[in-house]
Amino acid sequence: MLRYPAPAHKGDWESALPIGNGRLGAMVYGGVPSETLRLNEESVWYGGPQARTPKSAAHLPRLRELIAQREHADAEKLVRKRFLARPRSARHYEPLGQCYLEFEHGEDVEDYVRTLDLRTATAEVAYVVGGNRVRRRYFASAPDNVIAVHVVAERPVRFSINLTRMSDKWYETNEFLDSVDVKDGSIVLHATPGGKDSNKLCLVTGAKCLDTEGVIEVVGVTLEVTSKDALIVIGAKTNYGSDIELEAATLRALSAALQNDLDTLWRRHMDDWRYIYGRQSLELFSSTNDKSDKPTAERLKDPTDAGIIALYHAYGRYLLLSSSRDTHRALPPTLQGIWNPYFSPPWGAKYTININLQMNYWPVNTGNVSECHMSLFHLLQRLAVSGRETARDMYGCRGWCCHHNTDIWADTAPQDEWMPATLWPLGGAWLCAHIWDHFLFEEDVDFLKWMFPVLQGCVEFLLDFLIEENTGKWLVTSPSLSPENTFIDSNGNEGIFCEGSTMDIEIVRDVFTGFLKSVTRLQQHDALFTNTAPTISPTHGGVQEWGLNDYGDAEPGHRHVSHLYGLYPGSNIIPALTPDLAAAALKTLERRLTHGGGHTGWSRAWLICFFARLHKPIQCLENIQALLRDSTVPNMMDNHPPVQLDGNWGGCAGILECILQSHEVVERNGRKMRLIRLLPACPKEWDAGKLTGARARGGFELDLEWKNGVVVEPVLLNSKLGYEVLVCFHQCGDDDRMVGKEVLVKGVGLHEVRMS
C-alpha cells in the first residue's frame, strides 16, 4: 500500500495517485476542500491519420555508398534532404479533462491519510473536519467502464461536481472543449482535440445519494450534492474505431453504472481485478522492523527497507494492469501510461519504440499478467499494414517496417529530424521480437497463427533491407545506427550512421530465430532465407556498439546501452554459455557507469536487468536502490525526468529477474531442455522472501520461498505443457561463479521440487 500524510498540492502531479481500468485513467490528488481528478482516456489524441512517408527509395543506394565510405557529414546531409518525413511528427496524446469536487468545509483537518491499495486498486482519502469524519474511495472499474467515487461521512457534507478540460498550465484558464451542459441530471462535456479528423470525445458524470436524506441540485452546469453517503460516477467515450452516437452511448454507460448499487459496482470491480492481479505476489522481509506503515516518500529513501522493493514490483504490475487491457481496439500505454496531464506532453506521450514501449511490457509475462500484452499486439497488427507503404516508398523493400515512434494511427514514418534517432527502421522489428517470447510462456498456437503474417512481413522487409558489407562475409543493415547515440571514428570525426550496428544485428537474429521456430511449430513450408547475420565483436574488453566498426564513444555514459540487447531483453549473451561475451558485457556496463550512465529512470532499470542476467547481485541491489532514490517521484512513478512509466516496468522486470530466470536452453545427456534458475542474482540483503505465481518460459508456474538466503523445499512447480526442465537452486548472494544445484523435472502437473 502507498501511504501519504497529506494531500498532493494541486500543481504536484508527481504526488497524486493513479487509478485506471485500462482505458480510463485518473490521478487523484486527495485535496480536502477542493479535490482534483485529472482524467485520461486512451484514444484522446491530437489529430487524425497522416500521410507523411517520404519517397526516398531512389536515394538509398547513394546513402549506403556514403555510409560505407564513412562520409558521415554527406550521409547526414542526404538524409536531411531526402529521408525525413513531412509533417515532422506523428500525433500526440492529450488529457481527457478534469473533474473537480468542491467541498463546503474548512481546511483545518485532523487524522488525514491518503492511500493507494494495490490489492484492491482503490485510492482512499480519510480525514476529520469540524468533528465530522469523511472518507472518499476511488476506483476505476473495467467491467462497468467507469470511474467511481464514493463519499461517506458521519454527518452530511455539501459539495459540488464540475467537469472541464482546462489547460495544464497553472497560469492559464483556457478550456479546450466544445460544450458543457447538464442533461437529465448528468454533466455532459464534448470536445474535439485539435487537428484534422481528431477523435471527438464525450465526458460525463452523474451522482446519486445512497442515504434517504441526500439531495442533488443542478446549478448551472454544476451538480450540488448534500449527503452523508453519495456515489459519483464518471464515464467517457470517443468515436475512435466506431460510428456510435457518442453522447447517447456515453450516457447509457453512465446510467447503467448508476443503476447498480455500490456493492454490485465494487464486487464486479474486485472480482475482475483480483482475478488477474492476484495471480502473483512478492514479499521481501526486512531484517529490520516492518516499515509498511511509514509514508511512501520516506520509505523510498531508506536503503534498508526491502519491503519497498517488493512494493515497487507490485506497483509495476498495478500500473500495467491499470493501463493495458485486452479489449476491443485496445491501445498500449504511452510514455505516461493513461496518466498524462499535458496538452503538449514531453515527447508527445507517443509510443517510442527504440526502447520505451518495449520496456513497458518487459514484466508482462514473468509478472503473470500476460493478457495485458494483447494491446501491444493489436497495435503491431496495424503497424504491419501501414508499414508496407513505408517499406516500399522509403527503402524499395517488401514487407513492412516502422521507425522509432508511432501513434494511435500506427504511423510508421520517421519521427522528428534528430539524426541519432530518426532514420532507424527497426522499431517494428524489435516489437516483433515480443511475438515469439510471448508464445514461449504459454504456447498458444492460435496466438502464433494470428501474429505469423505480421512476423513474416517483418522478415520480408529485413531480407530485402540487408546487404553484404565490404568483405562479402556478412549481411548487415544499412543505414544503421545505435539509437540516440553518436560515435567518433578513427579520424576523430563524429558520426551517426554505420553498417549493421550491434543492436540491429541482435534484433535481426531474434526476429529470424522466432520466425524459423514459428515456421516449424505451425508446419509452414515457406521459410524465406538461409543467410545469417554477423556475431557481435568484443573490443577493448567491451562489446562493439557499431557492429564491425571499432568506433569510439562521443558520450561514454550514454543512457542507451543498445549494444547489450543480446544480454537483455535478448538471450544471446549467457554467462554459462558465452563467458567471453558476458565478460565483455560487464566491461561495457562498468564503462557506462563510470561515465555517469543510468542517469534516467528507464536507463537505470535496464541496468538492473543487465546485471541480473550476468548474475551480479551486488550491482543489482546498487542499481535498484539508485532507481528508488534518484529516479522515483513521491507517487512511486519513474522519473526520466520528467515522469515516464517505462522505468517502473523495467524495474519490475529486473526485480523478477533477480529471483527467477528462464531464458536459457541447455543440453544435458544429448537432450535440449529449459533451465529455470532460482535466486540467480538475489542480493544477500534479501535473505528471506516469498514469490508466488512466478511464470517461466515453457509453460511453467512456480511458488518459492527462501529463508536465511536458502530456498525452502519443496518448490511448487506447475508444468502446463509437460516439457522436461532443469530447476537450478542458487542462494542469496550467489554470483556468476556459483553453478547451483540442478534438479530434473518431467511431466504435466504439479511437482514438489527438492534438491535431494
Side-chain angles (χ1 to χ4, degrees):
M1 180 179 288
L2 283 67
R3 186 183 301 274
Y4 303 86
H9 185 271
K10 64 180 181 180
D12 185 9
W13 187 81
E14 296 177 353
S15 293
L17 297 175
I19 58 173
N21 65 7
R23 185 180 69 86
L24 284 171
M27 292 294 282
V28 180
Y29 283 67
V32 175
S34 180
E35 170 64 290
T36 301
L37 279 76
R38 290 193 175 272
L39 306 171
N40 274 209
E41 199 275 349
E42 65 177 1
S43 59
V44 178
W45 290 65
Y46 176 99
Q50 302 179 89
R52 304 192 307 118
T53 301
K55 297 184 183 298
S56 56
H59 304 280
L60 183 61
R62 177 55 179 162
L63 177 59
R64 286 172 163 169
E65 182 181 322
L66 291 171
I67 292 170
Q69 295 171 352
R70 304 188 180 187
E71 299 290 343
H72 310 311
D74 288 343
E76 292 171 29
K77 182 178 179 180
L78 180 59
V79 168
R80 286 192 184 92
K81 187 173 182 179
R82 299 295 185 184
F83 287 83
L84 300 183
R86 293 292 184 273
R88 295 171 176 82
S89 179
R91 298 306 193 184
H92 66 267
Y93 188 47
E94 287 193 359
L96 171 64
Q98 302 95 28
C99 178
Y100 293 107
L101 308 179
E102 303 289 345
F103 288 83
E104 295 185 12
H105 55 50
E107 296 185 62
D108 188 12
V109 301
E110 299 174 334
D111 301 334
Y112 183 95
V113 64
R114 180 168 57 101
T115 60
L116 179 63
D117 189 336
L118 308 184
R119 297 167 300 175
T120 62
T122 307
E124 188 169 302
V125 174
Y127 54 88
V128 176
V129 56
N132 191 11
R133 188 170 298 276
V134 181
R135 183 167 66 94
R136 308 200 300 258
R137 182 172 51 156
Y138 313 75
F139 60 93
S141 168
D144 289 287
N145 242 324
V146 296
I147 292 170
V149 183
H150 181 213
V151 181
V152 62
E154 293 176 347
R155 302 194 306 272
V157 292
R158 184 175 178 84
F159 62 93
S160 62
I161 308 171
N162 296 279
L163 290 181
T164 186
R165 193 165 184 264
M166 190 175 290
S167 170
D168 53 275
K169 296 180 172 62
W170 65 267
Y171 52 85
E172 288 186 356
T173 56
N174 299 324
E175 293 180 273
F176 305 115
L177 54 84
D178 299 335
S179 65
V180 60
D181 202 353
V182 175
K183 298 184 179 181
D184 298 326
S186 298
I187 307 175
V188 180
L189 183 151
H190 286 276
T192 307
K196 182 182 179 183
D197 298 327
S198 289
N199 295 322
K200 295 181 181 297
L201 69 88
C202 181
L203 170 63
V204 300
T205 187
K208 69 177 180 180
C209 298
L210 306 179
D211 59 331
T212 56
E213 299 85 8
V215 177
I216 301 176
E217 300 175 86
V218 176
V219 180
V221 291
T222 297
L223 299 184
E224 299 278 359
V225 181
T226 304
S227 175
K228 62 179 180 180
D229 194 355
L231 175 66
I232 305 156
V233 174
I234 302 167
K237 291 185 182 294
T238 75
N239 62 352
Y240 172 64
S242 68
D243 57 359
I244 59 173
E245 205 293 302
L246 194 56
E247 181 178 301
T250 311
L251 285 171
R252 278 197 303 271
L254 182 76
S255 177
L258 282 171
Q259 285 173 10
N260 287 316
D261 57 63
L262 177 62
D263 289 342
T264 299
L265 276 177
W266 175 251
R267 185 181 67 254
R268 284 165 54 82
H269 163 68
M270 286 301 301
D271 288 348
D272 168 78
W273 181 260
R274 285 176 171 166
Y275 173 70
I276 304 175
Y277 181 82
R279 293 174 191 159
Q280 183 178 98
S281 68
L282 171 64
E283 297 176 87
L284 296 175
F285 306 115
S286 297
S287 56
T288 55
N289 294 332
D290 177 39
K291 302 177 182 180
S292 59
D293 61 340
K294 293 184 178 297
T296 299
E298 180 181 326
R299 296 183 69 193
L300 287 169
K301 307 303 180 184
D302 184 354
T304 69
D305 186 356
I308 193 68
I309 296 170
L311 184 63
Y312 195 91
H313 155 266
Y315 194 49
R317 296 181 68 247
Y318 170 87
L319 291 171
L320 191 53
L321 183 54
S322 297
S323 62
S324 184
R325 290 290 191 108
D326 184 15
T327 57
H328 178 64
R329 294 186 69 85
L331 294 166
T334 71
L335 286 171
Q336 284 78 34
I338 51 172
W339 302 285
N340 162 48
Y342 306 110
F343 283 88
S344 182
W347 300 285
K350 299 182 182 70
Y351 305 125
T352 303
I353 55 175
N354 63 8
I355 177 72
N356 311 91
L357 182 58
Q358 289 88 342
M359 185 180 283
N360 287 5
Y361 287 96
W362 283 357
V364 71
N365 294 309
T366 56
N368 211 342
V369 287
S370 61
E371 53 267 72
C372 295
H373 219 165
M374 292 302 109
S375 58
L376 177 67
F377 295 124
H378 287 301
L379 174 63
L380 191 51
Q381 189 177 40
R382 293 190 293 121
L383 290 172
V385 176
S386 56
R388 288 189 174 275
E389 177 185 353
T390 302
R392 181 190 68 234
D393 291 354
M394 289 194 66
Y395 304 104
C397 295
R398 297 171 298 153
W400 68 275
C401 71
C402 182
H403 291 79
H404 89 290
N405 265 256
T406 187
D407 62 10
I408 185 175
W409 307 112
D411 189 297
T412 57
Q415 165 72 26
D416 305 325
E417 49 187 7
W418 185 41
M419 205 58 60
T422 295
L423 193 65
W424 186 66
L426 265 69
W430 188 351
L431 291 177
C432 278
H434 283 242
I435 296 171
W436 182 252
D437 195 51
H438 179 86
F439 176 77
L440 286 175
F441 281 86
E442 48 197 33
E443 301 206 359
D444 181 345
V445 175
D446 289 337
F447 163 78
L448 196 59
K449 288 178 179 177
W450 173 48
M451 281 287 104
F452 185 78
V454 175
L455 186 57
Q456 181 164 327
C458 178
V459 168
E460 288 174 344
F461 169 76
L462 293 174
L463 287 172
D464 288 358
F465 187 65
L466 289 166
I467 59 173
E468 291 185 352
E469 44 79 42
N470 288 337
T471 68
K473 185 177 180 181
W474 302 115
L475 292 175
V476 295
T477 52
S478 182
S480 177
L481 51 76
S482 191
E484 304 188 21
N485 208 351
T486 302
F487 61 75
I488 300 175
D489 69 13
S490 57
N491 296 318
N493 299 315
E494 288 193 357
I496 305 296
F497 297 109
C498 69
E499 294 182 321
S501 71
T502 298
M503 182 185 215
D504 276 13
I505 299 309
E506 286 297 312
I507 290 173
V508 170
R509 180 179 287 113
D510 266 8
V511 171
F512 282 1
T513 299
F515 175 76
L516 285 177
K517 290 182 177 179
S518 299
V519 165
T520 300
R521 187 58 186 263
L522 298 177
Q523 297 182 338
Q524 301 285 332
H525 301 287
D526 54 351
L528 302 179
F529 68 94
T530 55
N531 291 326
T532 57
T535 56
I536 41 186
S537 307
T539 181
H540 305 309
V543 174
Q544 286 188 179
E545 185 165 359
W546 310 95
L548 300 176
N549 304 292
D550 189 8
Y551 291 148
D553 298 316
E555 185 182 344
H558 199 272
R559 61 195 173 279
H560 284 259
V561 197
S562 304
H563 44 318
L564 296 191
Y565 171 98
L567 177 61
Y568 191 94
S571 56
N572 293 315
I573 300 177
I574 296 172
L577 301 179
T578 58
D580 290 344
L581 287 176
L586 182 60
K587 289 287 187 182
T588 297
L589 292 171
E590 290 171 345
R591 176 174 169 79
R592 275 289 201 266
L593 283 168
T594 298
H595 291 86
H599 51 276
T600 68
W602 63 261
S603 179
R604 183 70 67 180
W606 202 359
L607 294 177
I608 298 165
C609 297
F610 286 141
F611 282 120
R613 285 285 177 91
L614 290 173
H615 305 167
K616 297 294 183 185
I618 294 175
Q619 292 90 331
C620 286
L621 183 59
E622 288 174 349
N623 284 281
I624 290 170
Q625 290 175 342
L627 178 66
L628 296 176
R629 181 186 64 243
D630 302 330
S631 298
T632 303
V633 298
N635 64 12
M636 285 192 73
M637 286 183 168
D638 170 69
N639 199 19
H640 179 279
V643 163
Q644 289 182 191
L645 300 184
D646 40 21
N648 285 99
W649 291 313
C652 176
I655 291 166
L656 286 170
E657 288 285 324
C658 291
I659 298 169
L660 188 145
Q661 296 178 14
S662 66
H663 60 287
E664 297 177 64
V665 174
V666 298
E667 187 171 328
R668 299 290 187 268
N669 300 320
R671 303 195 309 276
K672 288 187 176 180
M673 61 189 71
R674 180 73 51 190
L675 176 66
I676 298 176
R677 295 186 183 274
L678 310 180
L679 309 184
C682 190
K684 62 181 177 60
E685 289 81 359
W686 304 353
D687 63 342
K690 185 177 183 179
L691 175 62
T692 61
R695 295 183 75 229
R697 295 166 182 85
F700 302 102
E701 189 165 320
L702 299 93
D703 295 345
L704 67 146
E705 187 174 358
W706 62 100
K707 295 179 181 178
N708 299 319
V710 178
V711 175
V712 176
E713 300 180 57
V715 171
L716 299 182
L717 181 147
N718 185 11
S719 176
K720 299 180 180 180
L721 303 173
Y723 292 129
E724 285 188 320
V725 62
L726 281 173
V727 178
C728 185
F729 288 75
H730 294 272
Q731 297 183 17
C732 293
D734 279 2
D735 59 19
D736 58 314
R737 296 169 296 179
M738 310 300 182
V739 295
K741 170 69 174 178
E742 294 179 354
V743 178
L744 180 64
V745 181
K746 302 178 183 180
V748 173
L750 185 63
H751 302 266
E752 294 185 350
V753 185
R754 294 176 169 84
M755 282 189 284
S756 55

